[in-house]
Amino acid sequence: LPVQKVKARFEVAHVLKQHWAEVEKHPHINSWQLRTLSALKRCRTSDLGGHVDACTECGTMRISYNSCRNRHCPKCQGKNRENWIAKREAELLPVPYFHVVFTLPDTLNQLAMYQPKAVYDSLFEASWKTIACFAKDPKHLGAKAGMIAILHTWGQTLSLHPHLHCIVPGGGLTKYRKWKTAKSKGKYLFPVKAMSKVFRAKYVKALKSRINSENELINVLFQKEWVVYAKRPFGHPKAVLEYLGRYTHKVAISNHRILGMDQKQTTFSYKDYRQGAQKLEMKLDNLEFIRRFSMHILPRGLVRIRHFGILGSSSKLITIPIIHQELGIPIPEKEPRILETYNPRYCPCCQKESIVSIQRLPKRGPPKSNLLTITHTF
């Protein structure tokens, strides 16, 4: 049976509702961010309409309000994540995968706030070109590589910390369409110190093609030590899916991390990785909490999960079957996934998937009736 997660006691939406009049006038929140915050505030409330549900087994009735389906909403990403992972299962290669993280220096934070599309598109471009450059070199691989890149813009305290989590297969296809395994000996994909310097140069070039950058900024960027972090490879391909499930549809902060809120402050938990991932608590003024959350609302149309090389959308239909054939391993059949998110058809009373919708509700709210006792769920 699907796992029904406990509803968070405090939500980002609660903070937004409490201070909405001030949020609408906030000087550091633009119109697109405001539109997104409005959707999050109204998610699963009568403002978006809903429907009356009933259990065909035990007769339990309830009202379910519609979701906003916004990609920044802490309440809407569970189902999207499961659907995305299910589609990726058939694309898994029976090879080792490496986890590489490309991080931008904080020098670019100010620019990322005002020209996020240029900064983040450059990050994707430079990261892939770095991987492709090393993969093409016969000294390292001598083949065409692939990559799945996931953009994260936040740190644990909601600070601006743009970085890409990249999943890279440990090998590639040669020009003769033969699979070639990376010369990593199972420890790392390519030398990270050399990658850092190449990444810096390719990023600056990509950024200069998108904005009129000042020489002062370029000089500062080249003076900085850039960070490319390579973790040890995953133990098996299935571990890649487990990893992707944690990272693909994350938002800046989950509702379950919010520990409390009052008229002035919001308290939330975070991990301090400088102290061995110790779990700590932070208090922020409510409007500062909202401002920090808003910094991680991506521009309209910006794609935050991208596929490159042999895993690209136009390539993988051809390359994945070739690689499986080369390795002599058939493509595995899809296995049913156990959803770990809210299932609207699940009845908590009789513990069956027996809920059906019997009436749609307009945005004005639930029907007034003395004949039915309806449990509100959000």
Side-chain angles (χ1 to χ4, degrees):
L1 287 174
V3 178
Q4 299 296 303
K5 288 191 174 182
V6 178
K7 182 178 180 292
R9 185 181 174 189
F10 303 101
E11 299 178 358
V12 172
H14 296 159
V15 189
L16 290 171
K17 288 174 186 176
Q18 186 171 290
H19 296 277
W20 189 246
E22 298 160 281
V23 171
E24 287 183 304
K25 301 174 183 177
H26 201 290
H28 296 120
I29 298 177
N30 62 41
S31 58
W32 175 249
Q33 292 169 338
L34 189 65
R35 180 176 172 179
T36 301
L37 294 176
S38 176
L40 271 58
K41 176 177 70 77
R42 295 179 296 138
C43 183
R44 297 186 191 173
T45 69
S46 58
D47 288 352
L48 297 182
H51 40 87
V52 179
D53 296 333
C55 178
T56 57
E57 297 289 330
C58 63
T60 297
M61 302 188 72
R62 68 185 184 192
I63 288 177
S64 296
Y65 292 123
N66 294 332
S67 301
C68 67
R69 299 183 182 180
N70 192 285
R71 62 174 170 170
H72 300 95
C73 181
K75 291 187 284 192
C76 288
Q77 293 312 299
K79 187 176 180 181
N80 293 341
R81 180 180 62 243
E82 294 294 338
N83 290 340
W84 190 87
I85 292 174
K87 291 178 181 178
R88 301 286 86 76
E89 278 185 309
E91 299 169 8
L92 272 181
L93 298 174
V95 300
Y97 280 81
F98 292 81
H99 176 196
V100 184
V101 184
F102 292 90
T103 304
L104 293 182
D106 55 11
T107 308
L108 288 163
N109 282 1
Q110 192 73 11
L111 186 62
M113 292 177 65
Y114 295 100
Q115 297 196 56
K117 191 174 190 318
V119 171
Y120 300 148
D121 281 343
S122 298
L123 176 56
F124 278 105
E125 179 184 329
S127 300
W128 167 239
K129 284 189 174 179
T130 301
I131 292 290
C133 174
F134 278 82
K136 187 179 179 181
D137 189 343
K139 185 172 70 175
H140 299 295
L141 178 59
K144 186 176 182 180
M147 183 175 87
I148 300 175
I150 306 159
L151 174 65
H152 282 189
T153 63
W154 56 85
Q156 280 283 302
T157 59
L158 293 180
S159 57
L160 198 59
H161 179 61
H163 56 285
L164 277 191
H165 288 275
C166 303
I167 304 299
V168 185
L173 278 179
T174 67
K175 61 181 180 180
Y176 302 108
R177 292 194 170 185
K178 299 293 183 182
W179 176 258
K180 190 174 182 181
T181 303
K183 304 173 183 179
S184 59
K185 297 182 181 178
K187 293 182 180 179
Y188 56 84
L189 186 60
F190 306 125
V192 290
K193 287 187 178 180
M195 286 177 69
S196 299
K197 293 179 180 179
V198 172
F199 170 53
R200 179 176 61 187
K202 291 192 178 294
Y203 184 86
V204 170
K205 183 179 179 180
L207 186 65
K208 286 172 71 175
S209 70
R210 290 178 170 86
I211 66 170
N212 295 321
S213 53
E214 299 176 2
N215 289 331
E216 184 181 350
L217 173 62
I218 301 303
N219 292 335
V220 172
L221 291 177
F222 274 109
Q223 290 168 10
K224 283 269 188 180
E225 288 291 329
W226 288 45
V227 179
V228 175
Y229 177 64
K231 291 187 177 181
R232 296 184 70 85
F234 295 97
H236 51 85
K238 287 290 183 183
V240 178
L241 281 182
E242 294 171 15
Y243 166 84
L244 289 174
R246 295 197 301 269
Y247 281 86
T248 50
H249 291 76
K250 261 191 175 183
V251 296
I253 187 170
S254 69
N255 286 330
H256 288 277
R257 279 180 57 197
I258 303 176
L259 304 177
M261 60 169 287
D262 55 31
Q263 293 298 318
K264 295 183 178 180
Q265 292 183 317
T266 299
T267 305
F268 61 93
S269 65
Y270 72 97
K271 290 179 181 178
D272 189 339
Y273 290 104
R274 293 180 181 177
Q275 299 184 40
Q278 183 181 355
K279 198 169 184 180
L280 303 173
E281 294 181 11
M282 175 173 279
K283 289 187 177 182
L284 288 177
D285 177 84
N286 287 336
L287 284 177
E288 173 61 12
F289 175 83
I290 294 170
R291 186 195 71 82
R292 290 197 189 188
F293 184 90
S294 301
M295 289 193 301
H296 309 293
I297 295 174
L298 299 176
R300 186 199 307 237
L302 183 78
V303 180
R304 65 179 296 261
I305 306 174
R306 304 187 190 183
H307 301 69
F308 299 90
I310 60 174
L311 298 180
S313 299
S314 58
S315 303
K316 61 189 177 186
L317 294 177
I318 299 171
T319 57
I320 289 175
I322 288 174
I323 294 169
H324 277 274
Q325 186 177 354
E326 272 284 298
L327 298 173
I329 301 173
I331 297 176
E333 294 183 4
K334 277 190 177 182
E335 296 179 5
R337 291 182 58 81
I338 299 175
L339 295 180
E340 296 182 352
T341 55
Y342 173 71
N343 182 351
R345 296 195 64 239
Y346 176 79
C347 176
C349 180
C350 56
Q351 298 184 353
K352 295 180 180 179
E353 292 190 11
S354 51
I355 294 289
V356 295
S357 294
I358 60 173
Q359 182 182 355
R360 282 192 176 186
L361 303 178
K363 293 182 180 181
R364 61 179 179 268
K368 294 179 180 179
S369 174
N370 296 324
L371 300 177
L372 300 176
T373 301
I374 302 176
T375 304
H376 290 249
T377 61
F378 302 91

